[in-house]
Amino acid sequence: MTQTERRRFLLSRLLAEAPEYRQLAVPDEAAGQKQLLRALLNVRPPRDASPEFLQVQDEYLRAELAQKGVTVLESLTPAARCGEAALYLWQGDITTLQCDAIVNAANSGMTGCYVPGHRCIDNCIHTFAGVQLRSACARLMAQQGHEEPTGQAKLTPAFNLPVKYLSPTVGPIVHGPLTSRDCELLASCYRSCLDLAAKQGLTSIAFCCISTGEFHFPNEKAAEIAVETVENYLKENGYPIKVIFNVFKDEDLIIYKKLLTT
């Protein structure tokens, strides 16, 4: 199958399983098809998919990733060192970074963002990992029996992303003035992810800017907490891991550069 054939196959299957969307017309142009495919994947509830669907989806997502290009950790230069650990700063699409694990800024339901085409990192990660991720997270939540507490994290397979694991964590949502409790919960996110990485024996992990953006945590304070918490954890535990601070916005790049060079 070509990418166009795979995309049309996936669209036809997704439309067929969702009666409320069957009347939607599939656009002729590739950009419109991609937009519709992402939207349908975003709203699809966690449920099993046929082996044929998964095979085509996986082939499609991996071909899309190859077209975007993968950034390998070994191609990056450390911005700072913390004992035997190395700290990196990288600006780019975290779904194209190859390392042991990437952190996902998740919500308490842990099954992803259901807003069609939303540009949050949670939506992007679930879109490009594939439908298996939502199902895996739903099973974890069913076993747990309650929503994920703020400040905690999990470890899941990454499926079609170029990493071994995903570490979804629930950051604090800031309403009004920033509180000391907000700051402590954000620090807990970083410690929880590092605890899981150490337990799994991971050698590298990439953090997104947890709780900024949709969760309204001030960018500069969030970065200060991120760097301070990670550095303290590494010093206290002597963990020789490579930690990548991933940023997407120029604003965050400037903030982290300052923090990591002082």
Side-chain angles (χ1 to χ4, degrees):
M1 280 187 177
T2 65
Q3 278 298 81
T4 299
E5 290 169 339
R6 293 185 184 112
R7 191 165 52 245
R8 285 191 170 275
F9 171 87
L10 295 172
L11 284 168
S12 66
R13 289 299 180 90
L14 290 168
L15 289 170
E17 71 177 18
E20 64 272 36
Y21 301 121
R22 286 178 186 170
Q23 77 283 2
L24 293 177
V26 176
D28 292 327
E29 73 283 2
Q33 291 175 10
K34 289 182 179 183
Q35 185 177 19
L36 178 58
L37 177 58
R38 177 165 182 166
L40 291 171
L41 289 171
N42 294 158
V43 299
R44 187 181 189 270
R47 59 188 173 206
D48 292 336
S50 70
E52 185 182 17
F53 180 94
L54 293 178
Q55 180 181 346
V56 175
Q57 176 212 243
D58 292 354
E59 290 172 352
Y60 177 80
L61 290 175
R62 289 168 187 171
E64 289 293 294
L65 175 63
Q67 187 175 28
K68 287 189 291 186
V70 172
T71 297
V72 179
L73 172 58
E74 285 70 25
S75 69
L76 305 180
T77 302
R81 303 203 74 88
C82 185
E84 295 184 30
L87 305 180
Y88 296 76
L89 175 59
W90 179 67
Q91 184 179 30
D93 177 357
I94 199 170
T95 66
T96 65
L97 179 63
Q98 187 178 81
C99 59
D100 279 357
I102 60 173
V103 172
N104 178 20
N107 56 51
S108 59
M110 298 288 274
T111 58
C113 169
Y114 288 79
V115 179
H118 197 251
R119 293 299 174 183
C120 70
I121 190 168
D122 195 18
N123 188 295
C124 292
I125 284 175
H126 273 267
T127 297
F128 299 113
V131 299
Q132 302 98 312
L133 177 58
R134 179 163 284 171
S135 294
C137 290
R139 287 192 293 271
L140 275 178
M141 291 297 97
Q143 293 168 5
Q144 179 165 283
H146 58 80
E147 292 189 334
E148 187 75 354
T150 303
Q152 298 302 303
K154 289 284 189 287
L155 208 61
T156 75
F159 299 102
N160 291 292
L161 296 176
V163 292
K164 297 175 183 177
Y165 299 97
L166 295 172
S167 187
T169 186
V170 183
I173 302 174
V174 177
H175 299 289
L178 189 67
T179 67
S180 59
R181 180 61 175 163
D182 293 328
C183 295
E184 174 53 35
L185 287 170
L186 181 59
S188 179
C189 289
Y190 287 90
R191 288 193 296 268
S192 296
C193 291
L194 288 169
D195 279 340
L196 289 171
K199 185 177 180 180
Q200 193 65 30
L202 305 187
T203 61
S204 58
I205 187 170
F207 286 99
C208 60
C209 299
I210 303 167
S211 273
T212 59
E214 295 297 318
F215 283 13
H216 309 298
F217 207 107
N219 294 58
E220 189 162 357
K221 185 62 176 176
E224 291 173 3
I225 291 170
V227 174
E228 180 180 7
T229 303
V230 168
E231 287 182 340
N232 287 342
Y233 185 98
L234 298 177
K235 290 173 184 175
E236 291 169 5
N237 294 277
Y239 186 17
I241 192 174
K242 297 175 181 178
V243 176
I244 307 100
F245 294 104
N246 165 250
V247 299
F248 192 74
K249 298 178 181 178
D250 292 339
E251 171 191 359
D252 292 313
L253 181 65
I254 293 169
I255 293 170
Y256 274 91
K257 273 186 177 178
K258 182 179 178 181
L259 290 170
L260 292 170
T261 55
T262 54

